Amino acid sequence: MAKMNKTATGKNRLKNMSDTNLLLMITVIVFFLMYIGAIVFQGGGFLKPQTFFNILNANAALLIASCGMSLVMITGSIDISVGGVAALVSMCCAVYLDKMGGNVFVSLLIAVGIGLAFGLVQGYLVAYLDIQPFIVSLAGMFFARGMTTIVHTNPFNVENEAFVALKDTRVIVPGIGTVNRVGKYVDAYVEIGVIVAVVLVIALFFALRYTKLGRSFYAVGGNGQSALMLGINVKKTRFIAHLLCGLLAGIGGYVYFLHVGSGAPSHATGMEMNAIASSIIGGTLLTGGVGNIIGTFFGVMSLSTIQNIVSSAGLDQAWWTGITVAAMLCLFLVIQSVIMARKSKSN
């Protein structure tokens, strides 16, 4: 009898779990199964802690952009300009630092300013003029890519000493490391961009969970008309979501710039699609109202891990990566559909 009661209690907890928490749990489980499977079947680099941190180092900018994407998707909107904004930020900062002898602090202000400008314009067009967000952000993407080429045509590396010193800064992860081939212990490390990304993830998690604005995002995405009846300023909430997305795209662009150390028109190509994919894998619904920033973090890690697994398996062709990412997206879209069907049935 006690065993039956425990089973019933477990089923009730699963049934009563919110869609956001259930999707988060699935994402986390899938990521750990995937990473453990990579360690068991491929071993090698996946056994080294630095491999995990290298995934973070390479995807810190994507993580920040994905957080912004999750915010607008939770409100039922979308922004596909984040990759173009990141490319424009990296090119403008590169030209300012390398060609104009600028300083690092001002270059960071330039990045934030570009992100805020895109967020302001796109947020106003979407929220107050009620233009479709896909069309608005598509125009923003084309504009950002075009401006990137106008600022400078050819790719080049930045040689500004202060910037190079910041770019090469490594934060040691205490107590974690490996012994290399010559028997020397090497500490694991992360780049500055990872620290920025993790701080933003934590801040956004608490903002969404514990602030009035965060609850408004979910309410607007769940049902805009009901949110309006509850006294929530729907237009203002959508505007703020796009403004924050633009700001995060600007910061993500600077983190991307710190990682690559150069400016090029082709930078951050496909970042917007990867951000959308990471958000979906992380449990954010395209229809809005459901999502979690921690899930977005694991979505980015899952997407990057599957790409590393494909590469480690010797399948270096780009189409193999595309197929595996598509399969992951389909899997999580099916999971989301099942959960939403379960919710509709229960109602």
Side-chain angles (χ1 to χ4, degrees):
M1 181 66 71
K3 187 176 181 180
M4 290 177 63
N5 287 336
K6 287 182 179 180
T7 303
T9 302
K11 288 182 178 180
N12 288 332
R13 285 179 180 175
L14 185 61
K15 185 177 180 180
N16 295 328
M17 186 180 294
S18 70
D19 295 334
T20 297
N21 291 335
L22 181 57
L23 288 170
L24 171 62
M25 182 182 73
I26 293 170
T27 301
V28 173
I29 290 172
V30 168
F31 168 71
F32 280 107
L33 288 176
M34 189 187 306
Y35 205 88
I36 292 170
I39 292 174
V40 172
F41 294 106
Q42 292 187 333
F46 286 98
L47 289 169
K48 300 177 181 178
Q50 188 58 49
T51 299
F52 178 83
F53 293 119
N54 283 341
I55 294 176
L56 282 173
N57 291 333
N59 293 281
L62 175 60
L63 176 56
I64 296 171
S66 298
C67 287
M69 187 69 73
S70 294
L71 292 181
V72 293
M73 286 174 63
I74 287 171
T75 63
S77 189
I78 200 164
D79 185 348
I80 62 171
S81 68
V82 294
V85 172
L88 180 59
V89 164
S90 62
M91 181 63 85
C92 288
C93 292
V95 169
Y96 171 72
L97 288 170
D98 207 60
K99 310 296 183 183
M100 302 172 64
N103 67 73
V104 173
F105 179 73
V106 175
S107 70
L108 178 58
L109 293 180
I110 291 172
V112 171
I114 291 172
L116 282 175
F118 273 83
L120 279 167
V121 174
Q122 294 182 162
Y124 180 80
L125 293 174
V126 170
Y128 292 103
L129 297 187
D130 203 26
I131 303 175
Q132 283 292 326
F134 180 83
I135 301 300
V136 170
S137 56
L138 180 66
M141 180 186 72
F142 285 137
F143 179 78
R145 289 291 176 185
M147 286 300 299
T148 302
T149 306
I150 290 174
V151 172
H152 202 277
T153 306
N154 300 318
F156 64 95
N157 293 321
V158 176
E159 298 179 359
N160 181 289
E161 291 184 2
F163 172 77
V164 171
L166 182 64
K167 175 184 178 296
D168 292 339
T169 300
R170 300 291 183 264
V171 179
I172 301 300
V173 181
I176 300 177
T178 55
V179 178
N180 62 17
R181 294 179 180 178
V182 296
K184 183 179 178 181
Y185 181 81
V186 180
D187 288 310
Y189 67 87
V190 294
E191 297 175 2
I192 293 290
V194 174
I195 305 300
V196 175
V198 171
V199 169
L200 286 173
V201 166
I202 294 171
L204 290 171
F205 169 76
F206 281 101
L208 282 175
R209 191 177 182 110
Y210 298 111
T211 68
K212 182 180 178 181
L213 179 62
R215 291 189 292 271
S216 297
F217 282 171
Y218 287 106
V220 169
N223 191 315
Q225 193 62 37
S226 297
L228 192 62
M229 293 174 66
L230 290 171
I232 296 173
N233 190 328
V234 174
K235 290 184 177 181
K236 182 179 178 181
T237 302
R238 284 178 176 156
F239 173 76
I240 293 174
H242 278 274
L243 180 64
L244 289 175
C245 184
L247 174 61
L248 290 170
I251 297 173
Y254 198 83
V255 168
Y256 182 90
F257 177 51
L258 273 175
H259 180 69
V260 298
S262 63
S266 61
H267 275 344
T269 300
M271 178 182 280
E272 56 281 330
M273 295 299 108
N274 286 332
I276 294 171
S278 298
S279 296
I280 293 172
I281 293 170
T284 304
L285 294 185
L286 284 168
T287 52
V290 176
N292 190 298
I293 293 298
I294 302 299
T296 301
F297 171 83
F298 282 101
V300 171
M301 296 302 292
S302 298
L303 189 68
S304 304
T305 299
I306 195 67
Q307 291 170 345
N308 281 11
I309 290 172
V310 171
S311 179
S312 298
L315 305 174
D316 296 325
Q317 297 90 342
W319 51 273
W320 273 114
T321 303
I323 289 172
T324 53
V325 171
M328 279 194 70
L329 267 178
C330 288
L331 171 65
F332 280 91
L333 285 171
V334 168
I335 291 171
Q336 289 181 3
S337 298
V338 170
I339 289 173
M340 294 311 294
R342 156 186 165 269
K343 181 179 179 181
S344 299
K345 187 177 179 180
S346 63
N347 290 336

